[in-house]
Amino acid sequence: AQSVAQPEDQVNVAEGNPLTVKCTYSVSGNPYLFWYVQYPNRGLQFLLKYITGDNLVKGSYGFEAEFNKSQTSFHLKKPSALVSDSALYFCAVRDRIGGANNLFFGTGTRLTVIP
Amino acid sequence: ETGVTQTPRHLVMGMTNKKSLKCEQHLGHNAMYWYKQSAKKPLELMFVYSLEERVENNSVPSRFSPECPNSSHLFLHLHTLQPEDSALYLCASSQEPYNTDTQYFGPGTRLTVL
């Protein structure tokens, strides 16, 4: 079965400091991994995805994520946090089981950037 | 974000009511999805449509009935819902359903069942 785990419900970081939002995955085949962000009263917005190739993936708004196969992790990072980064972040994984583009999401991590 | 729109944004209904949620995508995509987002739970994929054909139905109760009249529109018809069905219902679309295309989400409909 495929799944992702986001071990932290809440992450607080001071503005200007580096941030990390953690995600680990479990999938039977090659993982396709995604990060989405949800701002208040808004739908999910795509940040980045890992399909194949370089383990470090760069995405929108200065975010990046590192795929680590040995640790089955795909942590989201940003070198310098902004207050506007405060939002709910979702990690998702997909494989081809069932055929259709089934994304399995984590429970989300709420990031608060403190001014 | 205006690529996928959802109406209404908020809906309050009684358990005996019948209502419908509407989703429209302006991206020229071929696949559309319904998700349920409840507090403290992962997003749950409910239905997947590809070119108006339903390709996934993840054990969703029959009180939820999807309809996809064309590749740009997706409906979720609701009847005799339960209070535990209160949640944010998100629509998404992607170019195709069978690969790693990015899914683009609408803003959601906040449903409250009394």
Side-chain angles (χ1 to χ4, degrees):
Chain A
Q2 46 283 329
S3 66
V4 292
Q6 293 180 247
E8 301 159 316
D9 289 339
Q10 174 82 41
V11 170
N12 297 325
V13 64
E15 186 177 22
N17 283 3
L19 70 86
T20 299
V21 183
K22 296 179 180 178
C23 172
T24 58
Y25 67 88
S26 174
V27 67
S28 55
N30 292 323
Y32 302 138
L33 295 155
F34 300 78
W35 276 102
Y36 282 83
V37 60
Q38 186 176 33
Y39 298 100
N41 301 314
R42 307 276 285 275
L44 275 68
Q45 294 180 35
F46 170 77
L47 277 179
L48 51 81
K49 66 181 177 183
Y50 171 82
I51 305 300
T52 187
D54 289 342
N55 290 341
L56 186 64
V57 179
K58 293 187 183 297
S60 306
Y61 312 122
F63 283 93
E64 58 188 28
E66 186 169 9
F67 171 65
N68 188 318
K69 188 173 183 178
S70 62
Q71 297 184 4
T72 61
S73 67
F74 190 57
H75 301 330
L76 182 70
K77 300 181 180 182
K78 187 172 182 179
S80 178
L82 301 173
V83 173
S84 57
D85 293 329
S86 299
L88 190 58
Y89 289 81
F90 290 94
C91 181
V93 67
R94 179 190 175 268
D95 65 16
R96 288 296 301 271
I97 291 177
N101 192 356
N102 287 0
L103 281 180
F104 292 85
F105 286 84
T107 51
T109 298
R110 185 164 301 281
L111 173 69
T112 301
V113 180
I114 303 165
Chain B
E1 187 166 326
T2 56
V4 182
T5 57
Q6 291 186 242
T7 55
R9 294 294 306 273
H10 300 271
L11 178 63
V12 179
M13 59 187 290
M15 289 190 287
T16 59
N17 292 156
K18 291 184 180 181
K19 297 287 184 183
S20 296
L21 310 184
K22 179 182 177 182
C23 175
E24 184 173 1
Q25 59 96 359
H26 312 273
L27 301 169
H29 288 166
N30 293 321
M32 296 187 76
Y33 311 78
W34 278 117
Y35 286 89
K36 177 183 178 182
Q37 184 180 17
S38 303
K40 303 292 185 182
K41 294 176 67 175
L43 270 74
E44 302 170 48
L45 179 65
M46 301 175 71
F47 301 103
V48 181
Y49 274 82
S50 172
L51 295 172
E52 305 133 50
E53 296 290 327
R54 190 189 309 178
V55 296
E56 285 288 329
N57 175 3
N58 287 356
S59 301
V60 178
S62 59
R63 56 186 184 269
F64 296 92
S65 174
E67 178 189 2
C68 189
N70 55 63
S71 59
S72 299
H73 293 85
L74 185 65
F75 295 89
L76 188 63
H77 303 300
L78 316 172
H79 64 96
T80 60
L81 294 192
Q82 304 298 312
E84 60 265 29
D85 297 323
S86 298
L88 181 68
Y89 288 83
L90 293 167
C91 175
S93 72
S94 69
Q95 186 61 46
E96 299 292 345
Y98 293 107
N99 55 28
T100 56
D101 280 342
T102 300
Q103 293 183 21
Y104 294 86
F105 285 79
T109 295
R110 175 70 62 186
L111 174 66
T112 303
V113 181
L114 301 177

